[in-house]
Amino acid sequence: MRHSWQKEAIIYQIYPRSFQDTDGDGVGDLRGILQRLDYLQALGVTVLWLSPIFASPNADNGYDVSDYRAIQPEFGTMRDFDELLAEAHARGLKIILDLVVNHSSDEHEWFRESRKSKDNPFRDFYVWKPAKSANLIPSEGIKPATNVPARDEVDDEYLPNNWQSLFGGSAWTWDEATGEFYLHLFVEKQPDLNWENPRLRREVYDLMRFWLDKGVDGFRLDVVPFFSKPLTFPDYPPERFADLSAYANGPRIHEFLREMHDEVWSNYDALNVGEGVGVRAEDANLYVSESRRELQMLYHFDHAVPRDEARFLDPAPEFSLVQMKQITRRWDEALGDDGWQSVYFGNHDNPRMLSRFGDPVRFPYESATMLATVLLTLRGTPSLYQGDEIGMTNCPFEAVNEFDDVQVRNAYDALVRRGGGDEAQFLVAANRIARDHARTPFQWDDSPNAGFTTGSPWLKVNLNFGQGVNAAEETAPKSILNFYRNLIELRKRTPALVYGHYRDVRPDDNAVWLYEREWEGETWVIACNFTGETQEVELEGEVRFGNYTTGATSATLRPYESRVAFQKKANS
Ligand code: GLC
């Protein structure tokens, strides 16, 4: 396997809106990130992934871009960005940006042009379809302005197909100006770009080069498997809409990614990571095998929280440890020595990992550090999410209007307001699965608003900042943050933890995750207790790291205990 800095990287995802506000408007900004670079450097991460910082009307918090070459004004200016990049580089930190080019905002110049007329030069930058029934629009003799029906007069039967938006409702919106529908796999303010159009693709490669030439170190590619659509736009059986692969892996996706590689990646020593939504393990190497020259790595959704609309009344049970191990094995085997992935337990699209897999009430320190141990010792480039390193948890939302996320709001409209579902039940579900849990402001200290802002925060601050869940906990005897720092150190100086083969020692054990990483005659054994009870394990080797300071030699793992032990194989 080829070694590279991308594989050795430790990514830290920043959600800029919620990281640090410096101008008192309640929204995080670039100068806030700048101010916290020393913190990030001391943590030891090597790559900062910034969720979108481009101009956006915020229909989906920046994942709806209206200008790919401009900084979102509420985050700052291009000068702020240049300074941030230079200061990050001066500290040995790289920065990757979030490339959201499956769709743009409907306020992007391309879309404003595209919707003007059917012969506009930008028409084909988006996916337009006529209504299904020819009767809707008599084609001869009548001028469009007089025969195009208004939006509320167009019935569902005229929709080009039955595709559903991932955020609820039809994936098609009728546009009166030209009397056609446009496609949006997300909300209607996120029209899908038409990757079939070579001019659009050239524009995308250009804007990527614009940022890479500035010195940016790469991109995370938003919903990359959705870029290519099946050109027949077939109806799908309704049950497929809960399945993320319905829209993924279209017929030309690999052609597009190879082209992007040749046009862009091949000229830069950059990092790229695809959001592997809807990619199955068996197909992963089609994207990331080195010989295919497409992407370097992607991250899968097999352990992500199922969050399609129906789940907001009926959430799926959490994955068991045995299921997590199965998923991990499946991906590790499928990637083999040829492919690579990024591993994560939380991001801006999932609830907090500590609330999902740990016990933030009884064992906050032990379970947060145990989860960190797994995250930083699996094979793959780890991606940490802001706040996990200080033990941030899901936030109790007391009413539906406290949520901000468009997905929650759309699901509420569909299921409760229009569908008559039970509001209390909805609230319970959203409190488990909503994306907002990951988006509450970063908790820096115990001053007002957790030190995030002097103004009024755009999203509720989790009140547990006053109970020690904040970055000032580094002075406590049991500090999650210090544990992360030391563990990151260990990973950085231990190639076996980056490149070593993964072997699941007890696949059927639902309490302890016990695995080995083997590399050039060295074996590291990692044992993690996923329960609040003691567990017995046979653990050979010298314990080099763990989250309990004493008594790490017995065969008993205490609640949420994690250990990393080293064995030298005599015969190799
Ligand atoms: C990706 C992003 C998510 C966003 C969606 C639409 O899944 O991670 O936050 O809502 O794409 O851009």
Side-chain angles (χ1 to χ4, degrees), residues 60 63 100 103 167 186 190 220 222-223 275 299 301 348-349 435 439:
D60 186 18
Y63 285 88
V100 189
H103 44 268
F167 291 161
F186 296 92
Q190 293 170 297
R220 172 261 188 190
D222 192 61
V223 293
E275 184 190 19
Y299 67 83
F301 271 54
H348 67 297
D349 289 329
R435 306 193 294 181
R439 301 175 178 187

Side-chain angles (χ1 to χ4, degrees), residues 502-520:
Y502 170 82
R503 191 173 78 86
D504 185 344
V505 181
R506 298 213 297 206
D508 300 324
D509 188 330
N510 209 25
V512 175
W513 199 339
L514 181 67
Y515 54 94
E516 293 178 352
R517 303 290 312 280
E518 195 280 320
W519 189 76
E520 293 189 348

Side-chain angles (χ1 to χ4, degrees), residues 282-543:
E282 311 84 84
D283 299 327
N285 273 350
L286 295 174
Y287 286 86
V288 295
S289 163
E290 271 172 34
S291 58
R292 289 178 61 88
R293 293 190 283 129
E294 295 187 17
L295 294 176
Q296 290 162 352
M297 58 184 112
L298 49 73
Y299 67 83
H300 68 71
F301 271 54
D302 287 4
H303 65 352
V305 168
R307 228 187 31 245
D308 51 290
E309 187 175 280
R311 301 295 182 181
F312 282 88
L313 282 179
D314 184 18
E318 192 46 86
F319 294 89
S320 68
L321 179 59
V322 165
Q323 286 172 319
M324 292 289 284
K325 292 179 185 181
Q326 273 162 4
I327 293 168
T328 304
R329 270 197 322 278
R330 186 162 70 231
W331 277 84
D332 191 71
E333 282 162 18
L335 292 162
D337 280 341
D338 196 28
W340 196 252
Q341 64 174 330
S342 171
V343 293
Y344 71 104
F345 292 132
N347 59 23
H348 67 297
D349 289 329
N350 282 280
R352 286 281 170 185
M353 77 173 185
L354 178 55
S355 300
R356 287 186 70 191
F357 304 118
D359 183 343
V361 177
R362 290 193 308 150
F363 297 103
Y365 170 80
E366 289 75 12
S367 57
T369 51
M370 183 280 290
L371 291 166
T373 307
V374 186
L375 181 58
L376 283 151
T377 60
L378 284 176
R379 196 169 76 107
T381 300
S383 186
L384 280 49
Y385 183 70
Q386 69 175 43
D388 284 349
E389 78 280 17
I390 53 164
M392 283 182 65
T393 64
N394 283 357
C395 177
F397 288 93
E398 269 136 44
V400 174
N401 64 14
E402 284 187 352
F403 290 94
D404 165 84
D405 185 16
V406 64
Q407 188 179 34
V408 176
R409 285 188 271 118
N410 282 3
Y412 179 76
D413 280 348
L415 300 174
V416 180
R417 199 169 289 160
R418 295 198 306 274
D422 184 57
E423 173 145 355
Q425 196 183 335
F426 182 94
L427 191 59
V428 171
N431 260 305
R432 238 194 70 204
I433 66 174
R435 306 193 294 181
D436 289 296
H437 293 296
R439 301 175 178 187
T440 62
F442 194 102
Q443 296 163 206
W444 292 104
D445 53 38
D446 61 6
S447 67
N449 294 318
F452 164 69
T453 181
T454 53
S456 158
W458 73 277
L459 183 66
K460 182 170 177 171
V461 177
N462 191 330
L463 290 180
N464 63 13
F465 78 89
Q467 290 133 35
V469 183
N470 64 58
E473 64 94 82
E474 65 179 334
T475 55
K478 291 206 292 190
S479 155
I480 301 170
L481 184 53
N482 285 330
F483 183 92
Y484 264 87
R485 289 171 177 153
N486 295 332
L487 180 58
I488 287 172
E489 254 293 300
L490 175 71
R491 181 173 174 110
K492 280 176 157 175
R493 57 166 198 266
T494 314
L497 294 179
V498 177
Y499 296 108
H501 285 116
Y502 170 82
R503 191 173 78 86
D504 185 344
V505 181
R506 298 213 297 206
D508 300 324
D509 188 330
N510 209 25
V512 175
W513 199 339
L514 181 67
Y515 54 94
E516 293 178 352
R517 303 290 312 280
E518 195 280 320
W519 189 76
E520 293 189 348
E522 273 184 32
T523 302
W524 290 77
V525 186
I526 295 98
C528 291
N529 181 357
F530 269 68
T531 73
E533 287 86 50
T534 56
Q535 305 290 339
E536 300 301 313
V537 283
E538 299 279 308
L539 187 58
E540 286 170 24
E542 176 200 333
V543 177

Side-chain angles (χ1 to χ4, degrees), residues 58 64 80 82 126 232 274 308 346 525:
N58 280 333
D64 49 318
D80 294 332
D82 292 341
Y126 294 87
T232 52
D308 51 290
V525 186

